[in-house]
Amino acid sequence: MQFIPQTLFQGPALEFDFPALQIGLAEYAEGPTGCTIFLFAERATTSVDIRGGGAGTINDHERNHAICFAGGSLAGLEVVSGVTAALWEQWGRPIGQYALVSGAIINDFRRRANSIYPDYTLGQAAVKAARTGYFPLGTRGAGRLAHCGGIFGTEKDEPSGQGGAFRQIGPTKLAVFTVVNAFGVILDRQGQVVRGNRDPQTGKRRHPLEEMEERLEQDRPIASPSGNTTLTLVVTNQQLSPVALRHLGRQVHTALGRAIYPFHTVQDGDVLYSVTTNAVENSTLNGVTLGMLASELAWDAVLASAPAHSSET
């Protein structure tokens, strides 16, 4: 059976100014599942930080023309082939020049009773739909069927999705995009649970640590589901050495533990790509400062992954 890619979406979106970056989304409504791809005008220096017990990635190039996020677990890595082929076609198939594309996936199968996954055709469609300055938020693209907070059972998790945040400081552009399909819950800046671990009967959300302690006192089992992943991209135009770029990624990935709790567990497969187009110099921002700013944007991006979230607990 042939499925028709959907590439036009309405709803909450982040609008931003980063001409060197294009973003394309494509989905199969029949899944539902989808992919989100990030295209760079020129090959961009890349570093990847992989944590947790179940990551799924492909290629992990040190320089990339594109980064792909997709649903469909390991089968969804086929999107990378579609994106690679579509870029090569756009370039006119030059001899000896190939698109470098890296990718990572989330497992969205446990929320649906079919085997539909983001494939070669969906990757091609996402490239054709790519545009600058626009990133749909929530249950779109790779986050089409993302959930979070199922620590004590999938009946207590909630829909999340993809989120993004952007800031410009002088000539430096800095953006963070994330797909939250996490084992843990989403916390706001006051430490309150705003997504995940929600009692389906009362609607009350509880902090996982509080519930864990209660279950331990009552000698109740803690059976945790698997198949969880948070995918993140940090992208800047500021010139960074490969070492500085690697440490930027590590700093931001660690800081995400403030927004998602628990994070980097054996049940997760968290992947963060840090990318620079190396277009500008900015002496007012060193690597540590850039990492601090990106870490705050990452928290904003996680909160934006559930744009309709409520802070009731």
Side-chain angles (χ1 to χ4, degrees):
M1 182 176 181
Q2 187 173 5
F3 306 109
I4 300 175
Q6 295 183 334
T7 57
L8 297 176
F9 308 102
Q10 295 181 336
L14 171 70
E15 296 187 37
F16 61 99
D17 177 28
F18 204 138
L21 170 66
Q22 289 186 309
I23 298 175
L25 276 66
E27 297 176 10
Y28 286 142
E30 294 85 354
T33 189
C35 65
T36 302
I37 66 166
F38 306 89
L39 308 176
F40 307 103
E42 302 290 341
R43 242 182 350 181
T45 305
T46 307
S47 179
V48 62
D49 189 52
I50 302 174
R51 307 188 189 188
T57 65
I58 190 169
N59 294 338
D60 299 341
H61 297 303
E62 294 182 353
R63 293 175 67 84
N64 276 285
H65 295 102
I67 301 292
C68 302
F69 293 164
S73 192
L74 292 176
L77 292 174
E78 185 180 319
V79 162
V80 172
S81 295
V83 171
T84 303
L87 290 175
W88 201 37
E89 290 287 345
Q90 282 187 359
W91 298 344
R93 297 189 182 184
I95 297 175
Q97 183 178 348
Y98 300 96
L100 299 178
V101 183
S102 296
I105 45 83
I106 68 168
N107 185 346
D108 56 11
F109 281 128
R110 62 187 175 88
R111 274 288 173 180
R112 51 193 174 93
N114 62 61
S115 58
I116 299 169
Y117 63 91
D119 57 10
Y120 186 97
T121 300
L122 205 66
Q124 290 182 310
V127 172
K128 294 176 182 177
R131 56 189 290 194
T132 59
Y134 190 81
F135 180 77
L137 302 171
T139 54
R140 295 268 68 101
R144 179 64 181 85
L145 204 62
H147 283 69
C148 68
I151 303 164
F152 304 107
T154 55
E155 72 279 0
K156 302 187 75 172
D157 69 13
E158 291 188 89
S160 44
Q162 64 179 19
F166 172 81
R167 184 172 178 183
Q168 181 160 352
I169 309 96
T172 299
K173 297 178 186 292
L174 182 62
V176 179
F177 306 97
T178 188
V179 177
V180 181
N181 193 53
F183 178 70
V185 300
I186 295 176
L187 301 176
D188 66 15
R189 292 179 183 273
Q190 288 71 50
Q192 300 297 309
V193 178
V194 294
R195 196 58 119 218
N197 198 35
R198 181 179 184 273
D199 189 304
Q201 296 180 333
T202 67
K204 182 179 180 180
R205 300 183 181 104
R206 299 182 64 188
H207 196 287
L209 189 58
E210 175 188 347
E211 182 162 346
M212 183 190 70
E213 291 290 356
E214 181 181 283
R215 284 173 176 253
L216 290 174
E217 289 179 2
Q218 298 172 355
D219 198 27
R220 294 166 60 196
I222 302 175
S224 301
S226 59
N228 307 278
T229 298
T230 297
L231 308 177
T232 306
L233 169 68
V234 180
V235 57
T236 183
N237 63 345
Q238 181 159 321
Q239 294 180 7
L240 295 171
S241 69
V243 172
L245 185 65
R246 182 169 64 249
H247 282 284
L248 172 67
R250 290 174 176 173
Q251 185 176 345
V252 176
H253 216 185
T254 300
L256 272 170
R258 301 176 299 165
I260 300 171
Y261 183 87
F263 198 42
H264 300 328
T265 74
V266 69
Q267 306 286 27
D268 287 297
D270 304 320
V271 181
L272 183 144
Y273 294 97
S274 47
V275 173
T276 178
T277 62
N278 278 317
V280 302
E281 295 183 16
N282 189 346
S283 60
T284 63
L285 292 179
N286 60 29
V288 175
T289 306
L290 195 66
M292 293 170 66
L293 293 170
S295 296
E296 296 307 309
L297 287 178
W299 200 337
D300 291 339
V302 169
L303 292 173
S305 71
H309 74 71
S310 172
S311 61
E312 76 268 13
T313 56

